[in-house]
Amino acid sequence: MAAAALAVALTAFGLVPAAPPAAAATVPVGAGSYSDTRPTGTSGPTNNTGSPVTPKVTPAAAGRPVPTNDWWSSLAFQRYGDNPYSTPMYGHPLSYRAVAGGLEIGYPTTPAVVGDGRQYEFAHQRDLTLGLTGLNSPDARADSWSDWTVTPYWSDGTRTLRTTIGHGSPFVYAQGSGGSARITTAGTPTVFADQGNVLGITVAGHHYALFAPTGTDWTVADTTISAALGGRDYFSVAVLPSPDALATYRKYAFSFVTGSRVDWSTAGGTVRATYTLTTEAKEGTERGTLQALYRHQWLHTTDPLTPYAYVSPRGTMKVREGTAFTTTQKTAPVLPALPRTGDVDTAALRGRLNEAAYAADPFSGAVDTYWTGKALGRLAQLVPLADQIGETATRDRLLALLKGRLQDWFTAGGANEFSYDRTWKTLTGYPASYGSDTELNDHHFHYGYYVYAAAIVAQYDPGWAADSAWGGMVRTLVRDTANPSRTDGAFPFLRGFDVYAGHSWASGHQGFAAGNNQESSSESTNLSAALVLWGSATGDTGLRDLGSYLLATEGEAIAQYWFDADGQVFPASFGHDTVGMVWGSGAAYATWWTANPEEIHGINVLPVTGGSLHLGGRKEAIRRNIAEMERENGGPAAEWRDILWEFQSLADPGAAKARWDAGQAAYTPEAGESKAHTQHWITVLNALGAPDPSVTGDLPTTAVFSRNGTRTYAAHNHGATARTVTFSDGRTLTVPPRSTATATGSGTDPDPDPDPDPGPGPSGGHTYHLRSGGVLTTSADGTAGSDTVPSADGANHDGTPYEPLVYEARNVTGRLRAGGATAFRLPVDAGTAVGLGQQVRVSYDLTGDGAFDRTETYHYFATDPVPGWEEYHQGRGPKATTGTLGDLRGGTVRLEVWSAIGNADSRLRTGTDASVLVIPYD
C-alpha cells in the first residue's frame, strides 16, 4: 500500500496523519509515527524454511486484509512450503482439509486422549472428499470470507471449484465448472436413501446427505459417487444428526450461505449479539438455513432450537432453524483498579509502590513487544493504587514511565518501533517475539498491554490520549488486533477474535494438524478489558462497547472450554478439570514452554487486573482449578504463587489472604506482577468479598462484591460530570467525575458458585426453600440439614427419575412473569465418591388436578470427589421440556432430585437459604 492510500484508510477511521511523501518510510499519526518498511535485519511472514510468503488468495480477494489468526488461516498462509492447500480446519461440527482433488470433510465424534493423558482431540479424519471429476489443482486459495465463513477455491486450468464452509454449518455449499460433481468416500458407503438428486449415505458411522440440482441423479460406484450437474454449477453436502433428519435438511439444500455477520450492542448492563447468515436460493424460494450453536451460545439464547444436536470438541452443539439468532449476556465487570478500603496497610503499600516506581530498571530489561508489554502492564496496575492513598508523586512518576516507554514505541526510527506490512496488512512491533513477526502470532496478547497502559494514562491525562497526540497510535494498535470496521482497507475485521467460536486464536498461520490454538485466554481478555477502559477514558463508546461484547463472550467461552465450569465439555476420559491450551480439535493440559502445573493453571489467569473479575463468576471452577494444580504440583504454588493467590481470592478471599499473610515475605513476583498490586488485590477482596457478577451496572466500568450477605457496589466514572449508576438489583450509586465510588447494601452472598448469567436468582421470582421431608416453603427460617440422594446403582438414569427425592408446594397461586424462567441453587456433595451426577426435574401442575402441565428436566451435575458442598444450578441448561407454563391457580410445584449416574449415595443440602427453587411467578 502506498503511504497516500494508507492515509486515506486512516482518515476513514477518524485519524488524520500528516500527508507523507509518496515514498515515505515513516507514517505520522498524531504526535507518533510508524514505519511502512521493516527495520533492517528483521523478518515478516515466512514459511517454515524462512522464505517470505504472501497471502494465498485469488485475484477476487487480492488487496483485502486477510483475517490471519482464524480457524481457517492455513488456507491463506502457506506456512509449510510443501503444502499449498491447507492443514486441517475445524469448523465444528465438521472438519475440513483442502487437497488437490477438492475438500476433505470429516465429522469427528470420538475423542482420543493422547500425550500421557494431557490432551484430548477430536482429530480430523476424512469421511469423504468433495470435488469435481478430474480436478487436480496445484493449490487451494481463499476466494472470499466473512465473519465466520470462508470460500476456498481450486483451479487446474480446466476445472474450477468453490466451496463455502463455516463454523456451525452442517452444510458444505459447492459451485464448480468443467466437471461433474464427485464425492469420494473413505470407505464403501451404505445408502439409506436414494431420491434421485438426493442421496443419503452413511460413512464410518456418520450420516451425510448429497444434493445435486433437481433433475439430475447420483451414481454410486464403490467409493466414488458422481452426478452430472445438468448445465448448472451447484451442489451441496450436509452432515445429518440422524438419517430421519433428511427431509428437514433437504428443505435447505439449495439455500446457499453467502455471508455471515455479527452485530452487538451494550445497554443497561446487558450485551446482546445477533449472528446472521445471508443466503441465496439456487433453486426455488427457500432462503432459510440451519445453524449449529456452540454451548456458550445456546446457554444464552431464548430463540427456539430444534431437537437436533451434534458432537464437538466444545461439547454439544444444538441446531437452530433460521438465518439468525441472538444471545443475551450480562456485561462482565471491569474497573481500572479495585476500590480503596480501610483494610489496606498503606505504609506497606507505599513502600512497595516506591520500590517499583523508583527501581533502577522499572522495565526489567524488556526490549521486545511482549516483555515490554508485560512491564507496561505491571506499572500501569500501580497508578490507581498510588492515587488512592494520596501518593501523587509516585503516581506521576509511574505515569511518566508509562508515557516515556509508550512514546518510544510509538515513534518510528529508534531501537524499537511499529512497522506496517503492506502485503499482510498488519502492524508488527520490532523487536518482535514469539513469532509475532514471522508467523503473525499473538498480536492481541502483546498489544493488549499497550492499550491497557494507555487507558490508565488517559484516565489521568486525557490530552495525552487525543488522536492528535498519542491516541492515534493507540487506535492503530487497536485496528491491528480488534478492528471493529469491515471496510477498513488497511486492517482486517477483528483479526484474532473468532466471533462464532467465542474466543481468540493465537497462531497467525493455523498450520497445525490440530487446527489453531490459544493458550493464554486471559491475555486475550486483557485486550478486551483494555478496550472498555480506553473507550471509557476517551469517550469512544463504540470501542468501549466492543470491549464489553468481546469480554462477555470470551469470558463465557473461557468458563466452558478452558475451565469446563459446567462439567459438560471435556470428555469423560480426559482426567483434568482445566486446560492450558484450547485447540481446534480439542484442548491440552499444557503450555508451549513448560509442563509446570503452576504455569499451566496460571497462564489463563494473568495478568490480574480489574478486567479479571469475570473469572469470579464460577467460584466452584476456581476451587477445582486450584485443587488440581496442587495435586499435580505436589503442594501449593511456589513459583507463580502471587497469580494463583489472586485467582483463589476470586472465590475464597479469606483463604487467599491467609496464604498471602504467610508467604508475602519470601517469594519473587511473576514478571507481570508486583508485591504492591498483589497486596492491594488480596486485601481488598478479603474486605469486600468475592465478585458477584450476577449483579451488573448500567455503566460498563462497574463491579459488585459480596461478603456475608453484604454487597459492595463499585463504579468508575471517567466522565467530567457526576454520573448515577443503576444496578440490576435496583441499587443506585452516584459517582463523582473522574473517580471511583462505592456503596454497600444487603444482598444474597453469591458463594458457592453463581452462574454469570443464571436467569432469575434466589432474590427474584417466587422463592421456595427446601426442607427435609419433601417440603418446599417460602419461609427463609430453617435449620441446616441434608437429605441423602440414593445411588444410581451403576446404571444410567439420565433424564428419567430414579428413586428421586421429591419436594412439593401445593395450593400455589401466582401470575406467570413475562419472560421469566425457572431457577434453582442446590448445594450437593458426593464426598469422596467419583463418577456421580445429580439431576433435577421441576414440574408444574397449574390447577392442582394431579396432571403436570409443564416439566423441565435439566442436565445432570457432575460432582467432584472432594468433600464439601458444590452448587448445582439451572445454568447447566435444560435437557428436555414438555408442555407450557401458565398462571398457577391452586396448583402444585414439584422438585425432583435423583442420581443420573454413579454407584454411591450423595447429599443434598436443606434448611438454608442456599437451597432454593425460584419459580417465575408473582
Side-chain angles (χ1 to χ4, degrees), residues 86-424:
S86 80
T87 55
M89 302 175 289
Y90 294 86
H92 306 145
L94 292 172
S95 62
Y96 313 97
R97 186 166 74 101
V99 294
L103 184 70
E104 287 186 358
I105 301 171
Y107 174 35
T109 55
T110 303
V113 176
V114 298
D116 196 26
R118 299 171 73 90
Q119 181 167 349
Y120 76 84
E121 56 182 17
F122 291 75
H124 169 70
Q125 186 169 354
R126 180 181 80 94
D127 286 340
L128 51 87
T129 302
L130 179 155
L132 301 172
T133 54
L135 178 64
N136 186 21
S137 178
D139 62 22
R141 297 172 176 267
D143 187 56
S144 65
W145 51 83
S146 55
D147 286 8
W148 63 87
T149 61
V150 63
T151 298
Y153 171 89
W154 296 258
S155 176
D156 61 10
T158 300
R159 289 156 286 267
T160 63
L161 174 68
R162 290 176 175 84
T163 64
T164 297
I165 57 179
H167 277 317
S169 178
F171 284 95
V172 176
Y173 307 95
Q175 291 184 263
S177 64
S180 299
R182 181 184 66 181
I183 307 294
T184 58
T185 57
T188 302
T190 300
V191 176
F192 64 80
D194 188 347
Q195 302 168 7
N197 70 315
V198 177
L199 191 70
I201 63 172
T202 301
V203 181
H206 303 142
H207 311 295
Y208 291 91
L210 317 182
F211 303 100
T214 299
T216 63
D217 195 7
W218 290 101
T219 299
V220 181
D222 194 19
T223 60
T224 300
I225 306 171
S226 59
L229 297 177
R232 287 156 288 183
D233 67 352
Y234 55 85
F235 61 103
S236 64
V237 171
V239 62
L240 304 178
S242 61
D244 59 11
L246 178 60
T248 299
Y249 281 64
R250 179 174 184 168
K251 178 181 177 182
Y252 302 109
F254 302 113
S255 178
F256 275 38
V257 168
T258 57
S260 56
R261 180 185 175 99
V262 63
D263 293 284
W264 61 84
S265 63
T266 301
T270 299
V271 175
R272 289 181 174 83
T274 299
Y275 300 83
T276 304
L277 295 173
T278 55
T279 62
E280 174 188 359
K282 294 293 185 180
E283 291 186 7
T285 59
E286 180 59 62
R287 298 290 298 274
T289 191
L290 296 164
Q291 303 179 74
L293 279 63
Y294 284 112
R295 180 175 179 80
H296 77 274
Q297 296 170 324
W298 58 257
L299 279 174
H300 296 286
T301 188
T302 57
D303 292 338
L305 304 174
T306 71
Y308 301 130
Y310 291 102
V311 173
S312 88
R314 310 290 178 255
T316 300
M317 300 182 78
K318 298 187 177 184
V319 178
R320 170 158 169 76
E321 202 167 1
T323 57
F325 65 91
T326 298
T327 61
T328 303
Q329 291 180 254
K330 295 181 184 297
T331 54
V334 178
L335 291 172
L338 295 185
R340 180 179 182 178
T341 74
D343 298 74
V344 173
D345 182 340
T346 56
L349 181 60
R350 183 180 300 110
R352 288 175 170 137
L353 288 169
N354 288 335
E355 181 181 354
Y358 294 96
D361 181 5
F363 290 91
S364 304
V367 295
D368 62 41
T369 48
Y370 180 69
W371 291 102
T372 297
K374 292 269 289 186
L376 287 167
R378 183 183 69 248
L379 296 175
Q381 292 169 355
L382 304 180
V383 172
L385 311 191
D387 190 53
Q388 284 181 11
I389 64 172
E391 290 295 310
T392 55
T394 303
R395 177 200 67 192
D396 293 345
R397 162 73 175 173
L398 291 164
L399 287 169
L401 289 170
L402 295 175
K403 291 178 184 178
R405 189 54 60 98
L406 287 169
Q407 290 167 199
D408 187 25
W409 275 88
F410 290 169
T411 303
N416 37 252
E417 65 174 37
F418 287 97
S419 176
Y420 181 75
D421 186 311
R422 304 181 189 90
T423 302
W424 284 93

